[in-house]
Structure formats: C-alpha cells, structure tokens
Amino acid sequence: EVHLVQSGAEVKEAGQSLQISCKASGYHFFSYYIAWVRQRPGQGLEWMGVIYPHDSGVTYSPSFEGQVTISVDNSITTAYLQWANLKTSDSAVYYCARLQMKRGVRFDPWGQGTLVSVS
Amino acid sequence: SYVVTQPPSVSVAPGQTATIACEGDNIGSTPVHWYQQKPGQAPVLVVYDDDARPTGTPERFSGSNSGNTATLTITSVEADDEADYYCQVWISSIDRYVFGSGTKVTV
C-alpha cells in the first residue's frame, strides 16, 4: 500500500529556516512525481511545486518560485520542502502528494499534513 | 493564469442530491479530478479523470465534464458526506496544477 508520512508540526519564529519531510513507501519511488500543497487556515489548496525523483527536476508554481526549495533524497525515498527565511505568512498546513497520470494528472495519495506555525 | 471557480457552499438534506460545479474556460477539454476534505484531515481523491471512481469511493459519487463546467454529483447524501470539495486540473501547456476555490457541503 502506498503511504506518504510527513514530519511533525513545527513552531518557528520569522527569519528562521525550516525543512519538512515526506517519507514515501509502498511503490517505486523514482517513477512518480511528488507535489507540495499549501493550505492556509480556513483557506483552499494551493499547488507549490513538484519534483521528479528520477532526475530531481523541479517545477515551481510562479507564486512560490524563489520562496521555497523542493528537494529529494532517493536513498531514503524522502522529499523535502525548505524555507531559508520564514515569514508569518508561511503559517499553514503543508501537504505532500504523489502524482498519478492516466488521462489527467491527479494527486493521490496525500500525506497527513505538517502544520507550520510562524510567529 | 487559468482560474477555476466553485460555489462557496452547497446545502443539501439527507437523502437528496448535491451538485457541485467547477467552472473554467473550456474546462471540458481537460480531465478534472475531485477531492473531499473533512475538518482536520488531508484531502482524499473521490473522482478522477472526470468520471472515474477510485477503489473505495461510493457509487453515490459521480462526475461529468463538458464545455465550461465540470460537475461532481452526490446522490442519496449522507451526513458523512459533509466536507469541503475541491476540483483540480493540470494545464499541460504551461505545466501548472490548478485547484478550484473549494465548496463546503453542508448536510
């Protein structure tokens, strides 16, 4: 069974750095894109970017380009989302999800989410 | 940028049918996917490629997509269907993933 398990909640101050993780299991890690999605409190879902573990190629949403870094460690089948300089506006729940392709491209399954609180 | 619009809320009585629209320019030309999100939980895929159901999605959930509107229909609505629902598309020409604004279904 496919599982994406994310790291735990984080409490940070503005200006600090942060890296959260998404550990994948139950499938061939190299063959599927992984995406990151932000959800601010009471708000909708925002696509941030995707990474292809096979070649570590990354595509960012224009809204998040330069604001975060997405990476992957294939040796431990884990994807990462990183901030160098957190802002209070980064407070949100962050989800990772595996991308599946047939006719279209869908997000399935999702990790449980990581709550990031920045003061 | 491509914009996808959903009604903020839909209210439905138990046993009735809920219909959620997802509007976008010529959205019928691209596959649409639907996610259910309950409070405090991660989204879950309930319909993909316009009208396909993942294993585990009840047959009460169905989808369609034509012209400028995609639709998620929930028949015989149950209390457990109360959740936020999001549509999603992939714009292949610019390699972008777009979520609708979300619809809160109240039973």
Side-chain angles (χ1 to χ4, degrees):
Chain A
E1 187 178 354
V2 177
H3 281 293
L4 298 176
V5 178
Q6 299 184 227
S7 50
E10 301 276 359
V11 178
K12 292 288 189 179
E13 294 185 354
Q16 290 185 318
S17 63
L18 174 65
Q19 183 180 76
I20 62 175
S21 66
C22 171
K23 166 72 175 177
S25 63
Y27 70 97
H28 193 251
F29 184 68
F30 300 95
S31 300
Y32 293 84
Y33 288 78
I34 288 184
W36 287 96
V37 176
R38 182 175 76 179
Q39 187 169 39
R40 285 173 164 161
Q43 302 299 309
L45 305 171
E46 301 174 88
W47 168 65
M48 302 175 70
V50 297
I51 187 164
Y52 188 39
H54 179 72
D55 60 8
S56 298
V58 181
T59 300
Y60 292 97
S61 162
S63 300
F64 292 91
E65 180 94 50
Q67 307 304 309
V68 297
T69 301
I70 294 172
S71 61
V72 68
D73 185 338
N74 291 332
S75 67
I76 54 173
T77 64
T78 298
Y80 300 96
L81 180 64
Q82 181 179 339
W83 294 261
N85 183 6
L86 284 163
K87 305 175 180 61
T88 56
S89 57
D90 293 321
S91 295
V93 175
Y94 293 87
Y95 295 100
C96 63
R98 187 184 73 164
L99 296 192
Q100 285 222 79
M101 301 179 184
K102 196 171 182 181
R103 287 181 52 232
V105 183
R106 60 194 186 269
F107 296 66
D108 182 48
W110 296 61
Q112 83 276 19
T114 296
L115 175 63
V116 174
S117 300
V118 184
S119 61
Chain B
S1 62
Y2 190 79
V3 177
V4 177
T5 303
Q6 299 179 233
S9 62
V10 167
S11 184
V12 58
Q16 299 303 303
T17 296
T19 301
I20 304 167
C22 173
E23 297 184 345
D25 184 38
N26 198 29
I27 198 170
S29 66
T30 189
V32 174
H33 319 291
W34 291 90
Y35 304 88
Q36 177 193 68
Q37 186 180 32
K38 296 181 179 179
Q41 298 184 21
V44 174
L45 182 74
V46 291
V47 167
Y48 68 96
D49 289 348
D50 296 336
D51 57 8
R53 281 186 300 272
T55 303
T57 298
E59 291 184 8
R60 303 183 293 102
F61 288 79
S62 63
S64 63
N65 186 16
S66 179
N68 294 321
T69 305
T71 302
L72 176 69
T73 302
I74 313 171
T75 58
S76 302
V77 168
E78 301 176 358
D80 189 54
D81 299 330
E82 190 162 282
D84 294 326
Y85 291 83
Y86 296 90
C87 59
Q88 174 256 314
V89 296
W90 174 53
I91 309 302
S92 58
S93 59
I94 54 174
D95 196 16
R96 298 285 183 263
Y97 302 85
V98 179
F99 288 96
S101 44
T103 299
K104 180 176 182 59
V105 171
T106 302
V107 180

